[in-house]
Amino acid sequence: EKLIETIALLEPTFGGINLEDIKAPECFTIESRLKEIMSIPVFHDDQHGTAVVVLAALLNATRFSGLMLKKSVVGVVGLGAAGMGISKLLLSYGVKNVIGTDLDDTACDRLSAAGGAVGSLDEVMKKAHVVIATTGCPGLIKPEMVRKGSVVLALSNPNPEIVPDLALQAGASFAADG
């Protein structure tokens, strides 16, 4: 509440607000409340900035890998601020099948409410043509979990869920890290 109040007091002196490094689930409440009470744009970089960069990367990666993004199954591993921001943008872009997983059931409920499906890590890795990981858990994705021909974006930094070279060696058509 104090953070919301403080940021709202800044409105007369700024043309927009960029929120940074506010974790889920607090980031969703803070952003939503600020948008309700402020007349200037409110942007949360961890959600929206990451999502825009991921969509741009996927438009290029799927073009080169032969996948059609809107018709692909996109798996999101980790549904915190970045994972939810990515999921929401992909759904609004027209991706019909976003499946996600997270250890937090509340995060999974948020994805379901946004129009995505929820599954286990194993289900996501087996079904998804595109896998985006935002967990902060280095080494979570093992090479044997990588689906042949898939696109893998392991975005946690400085240590990704799988090193891109390992994902490529395991059969990914494209792999990158954060």
Side-chain angles (χ1 to χ4, degrees):
E1 289 302 315
K2 194 68 164 166
L3 182 60
I4 293 168
E5 179 184 323
T6 301
I7 293 170
L9 289 171
L10 298 172
E11 181 176 14
T13 61
F14 287 93
I17 297 294
N18 178 29
L19 303 172
E20 179 66 49
D21 290 339
I22 301 173
K23 70 177 180 67
E26 293 85 355
C27 65
F28 306 118
T29 303
I30 292 167
E31 177 197 12
S32 175
R33 290 276 311 286
L34 288 171
K35 284 182 174 181
E36 287 173 11
I37 63 176
M38 298 177 80
S39 60
I40 60 175
V42 177
F43 177 87
H44 183 215
D45 185 59
D46 298 351
Q47 291 180 70
H48 313 298
T50 302
V52 168
V53 170
V54 166
L55 178 56
L58 289 179
L59 290 172
N60 284 306
T62 54
R63 187 178 68 202
F64 290 114
S65 67
L67 295 171
M68 295 179 67
L69 182 57
K70 289 183 180 181
K71 293 184 178 183
S72 295
V73 176
V74 177
V76 181
V77 181
L79 299 170
M84 274 307 301
I86 292 164
S87 297
K88 287 179 177 179
L89 181 60
L90 291 174
L91 288 163
S92 69
Y93 175 72
V95 175
K96 305 269 187 280
N97 198 344
V98 174
I99 180 172
T101 189
D102 196 288
L103 295 175
D104 180 355
D105 289 339
T106 306
C108 293
D109 292 343
R110 272 194 297 276
L111 178 62
S112 292
V118 175
S120 67
L121 176 60
D122 188 52
E123 290 171 319
V124 168
M125 296 305 297
K126 285 181 179 170
K127 292 179 181 179
H129 305 106
V130 174
V131 174
I132 304 157
T134 61
T135 66
C137 298
L140 176 68
I141 298 173
K142 308 296 181 224
E144 58 272 14
M145 299 166 75
V146 174
R147 182 178 170 168
K148 303 284 186 244
S150 64
V151 170
V152 178
L153 301 181
L155 301 180
S156 294
N157 58 49
N159 302 306
E161 290 80 2
I162 186 168
V163 176
D165 287 344
L166 286 178
L168 292 169
Q169 290 169 13
S173 63
F174 180 88
D177 60 21

